[in-house]
Amino acid sequence: MSPKSKTKLSPHKSLLETSRSTTTSHQDNSEEASEEQSSGSGSTIDGQDGDHPLSGVENAEELPAPEDINDNGFASSDLVNKVEELFGSYRTKCFFSKNWALREAALTKMTLLSPAIVSDTNGECAEAMCNIIESAIEDKNVQVSLAALVLLDECITGFEDIDAPASKITSLVSRIVLNLLGKLDDSKQKVVDSAELALLSLASSSCIDKTIIINGASKRVRSKDSKGGRVVKARLHFIENLATEFGDCVAWKRVVEFAKGQKAFEHKDGGVRDAAKSLIVTLVVVSSYHASLFVVFLSARFAA
């Protein structure tokens, strides 16, 4: 993936479709979704004009009707109100349903509707959309979490299209970034791959300051998480990918201090040591500060 102003996470959609095909193409449904949203009436939002509220989602009519939303602590009244205002009662019930297939279907429908919503509200929906995405990314069901990342990508593209201020969008996605960084050491490779793709896509966006991702990735890992090596190794691999994509935008001094601070060069886990050395080699290749980094590389090479 090369840096560019607008990035479409087709790899995410491929991941989603590999395990369970859930949607028809956005191209086939974008016109329908736009017309549905532009009507602006609550009845149309809920699909009460004859269309199913989840129209455009594959096998939507075969899904059960969602149950009422219970006050169980998971669905805050504020978030419920935000979702309902944008997507109507039926889809809100699906989003908060105990049935993961309904939650996934709701996110897929939101993805179809999001271009029109972002455009019609001129980005005023950004906070609500990020709240929705943040909540769904934390879902324990992998399919639901992946569907949230597809929605994230579609929203970011929409924010780019309206030239949303980078300061605003960067702030709104800050907790999403932290959540995704925490998934880089997940035991499921699909989760790791999708989190990394999402983070690289965010860093490539014109409406997000990539520094928030670079600094977050190189923030010191807690002692209890660093002992086993899994978290540190995952961070080092990701930082190397950031360096490959964005070159000198990745502050090499901060990265080297991170590696040293985590004792990566002399870590008991050989995978961590190898990841640290590989990162330094990549920094040497992509950075304009070759001489300083080469000294670091030599030191790292003979440290183990």
Side-chain angles (χ1 to χ4, degrees), residues 35 112 151 251 279:
E35 290 176 355
L112 294 173
L151 175 59
L279 169 60

Side-chain angles (χ1 to χ4, degrees), residues 220-232 262 267:
R220 184 176 180 83
V221 176
R222 294 179 301 179
S223 297
K224 68 175 185 178
D225 293 330
S226 64
K227 289 181 180 179
R230 186 183 184 95
V231 176
V232 176
Q262 301 299 154
H267 201 281

Side-chain angles (χ1 to χ4, degrees), residues 109-216:
K109 183 62 177 181
M110 290 175 184
T111 301
L112 294 173
L113 293 173
S114 64
I117 291 176
V118 172
S119 177
D120 292 348
T121 63
N122 196 32
E124 291 302 314
C125 65
E127 181 177 0
M129 294 300 288
C130 287
N131 289 159
I132 291 169
I133 293 164
E134 180 185 351
S135 173
I137 285 176
E138 295 176 355
D139 199 294
K140 293 181 180 179
N141 184 282
V142 174
Q143 294 301 128
V144 176
S145 182
L146 289 176
L149 294 183
V150 178
L151 175 59
L152 171 63
D153 180 59
E154 197 67 49
C155 287
I156 294 301
T157 299
F159 299 148
E160 290 173 342
D161 288 340
I162 62 170
D163 294 322
S167 58
K168 175 182 178 180
I169 304 302
T170 299
S171 176
L172 290 175
V173 302
S174 59
R175 290 195 299 269
I176 294 174
V177 168
L178 290 176
N179 187 300
L180 292 173
L181 286 170
K183 292 180 181 292
L184 293 176
D185 63 304
D186 195 273
S187 59
K188 299 183 181 69
Q189 192 60 43
K190 182 187 290 187
V191 173
V192 174
D193 291 343
S194 61
E196 182 166 313
L197 282 168
L199 286 165
L200 290 173
S201 181
L202 291 174
S204 299
S205 174
S206 60
C207 64
I208 293 176
D209 181 357
K210 63 176 65 65
T211 302
I212 190 176
I213 298 170
I214 296 169
N215 289 348

Side-chain angles (χ1 to χ4, degrees), residues 229-249:
R230 186 183 184 95
V231 176
V232 176
K233 182 168 65 174
R235 290 291 182 87
L236 291 170
H237 280 313
F238 177 62
I239 294 171
E240 182 175 3
N241 287 336
L242 282 173
T244 300
E245 292 290 324
F246 305 109
D248 283 341
C249 290

